[in-house]
Amino acid sequence: MNNTHNNPPAEAMSSESMRQLSELQENSFLIVEPRDCSPHILSREFRSAYGYGSDTTSAMLEAIGESGQILKGSRDYAEHSPELAQLLDNKPTFFALSPSVVSEDIQTAYRLFDADTPGAIMKISFTHHAYLEHLGGKIESFPAIKKGTDMYRVLRSIRPEGDQRSDTEVEQSMNLVTLPSRVRTDGNTRYIAMNFVEHDGHPATISRKDLDDWLERYHAAGLTIGQDIGSDDETLDNFVIYQDKLYWCDGDIAAAQPIPHADLQQHAQHMKQSLERFVR
């Protein structure tokens, strides 16, 4: 398959990139997909050709074509793709995929959001992890579409019976608390395109101002998110700092439901208590 290049060609891999690639190739490495309202990237038929759908790494390497061959070590470093160079420089990178191999959910999102290209966003999560010594590294992959220069993570959730909110109403609530997102409904299924934007990472601590601003927006949105902030969490891994504000980035935002007005204060208080210990 011909892989569509979405970025200007890189002149050469940096020394750090070559180290990353060497580590990934040294043993095996794992490509993983999230489970938080993310549909499969590849069609069931395509995945089934690689261990009955369980071997995500082999299937993804085949689907991304030339870059997959490089990751498998069958091509010279000098013949790298610009996408691979970006990935190895630890940047989230969009890999275009043929519509014939992506899942029906990605095809539907591609149509609903009038996107230019279906594909996957990939980023290196770690190399030579201490607890996974048999792996060369871990690459996270997210179902995605691209429109112009913007790439969007695709999320999906079944619309609960009785939920009469319009796509615009859902968008307005979501965008108070999460990264810029668009919503479209197809039958009983809601699709969310979440803009995969540059952000300042997952905060280990927040300020009192961050917390107060977040609680104000959380209260205004009135959505059931944040119930899994654990007392043993060391970082706010479901949050990111974007445009100097705290935002929820976990994919479970797609399944968030309105909190009944009578319960909103209780939820807000629970949220405040969960986050107070991160204030410095």
Side-chain angles (χ1 to χ4, degrees), residues 34-55:
R35 301 178 183 273
D36 50 1
C37 296
S38 294
H40 279 297
I41 298 171
L42 303 173
S43 69
R44 181 176 181 180
E45 293 76 15
F46 193 86
R47 287 182 291 117
S48 293
Y50 300 88
Y52 299 99
S54 61
D55 192 347

Side-chain angles (χ1 to χ4, degrees), residues 262-274:
D263 299 333
L264 186 54
Q265 192 58 41
Q266 180 181 348
H267 279 256
Q269 184 62 30
H270 177 73
M271 173 65 72
K272 182 178 181 181
Q273 291 174 350
S274 297

Side-chain angles (χ1 to χ4, degrees), residues 112-230:
L112 290 175
F113 295 104
D114 192 28
D116 297 328
T117 315
I121 295 169
M122 304 178 74
K123 68 185 188 75
I124 293 177
S125 182
F126 58 74
T127 58
H128 284 309
H129 194 279
Y131 298 107
L132 294 171
E133 294 179 358
H134 62 290
L135 295 176
K138 175 180 171 181
I139 298 176
E140 294 181 305
S141 60
F142 303 89
I145 54 176
K146 191 167 189 179
K147 188 174 178 67
T149 59
D150 294 326
M151 52 186 181
Y152 297 84
R153 178 183 177 185
V154 173
L155 299 167
R156 175 204 60 192
S157 182
I158 301 300
R159 180 174 60 179
E161 186 176 348
D163 186 353
Q164 299 300 316
R165 292 177 299 163
S166 68
D167 291 344
T168 299
E169 289 173 319
V170 177
E171 276 186 16
Q172 289 174 343
S173 293
M174 284 181 55
N175 284 320
L176 287 169
V177 291
T178 197
L179 298 173
S181 300
R182 298 167 60 200
V183 178
R184 295 289 183 272
T185 301
D186 185 64
N188 289 324
T189 305
R190 280 205 177 104
Y191 290 88
I192 290 88
M194 179 184 288
N195 202 182
F196 216 87
V197 296
E198 292 289 337
H199 56 74
D200 295 331
H202 304 288
T205 63
I206 56 177
S207 68
R208 176 61 59 180
K209 181 180 178 181
D210 292 331
L211 177 58
D212 291 344
D213 174 74
W214 164 255
L215 289 173
E216 183 178 339
R217 287 183 285 116
Y218 175 81
H219 195 279
L223 296 175
T224 54
I225 59 170
Q227 307 306 306
D228 61 343
I229 302 174

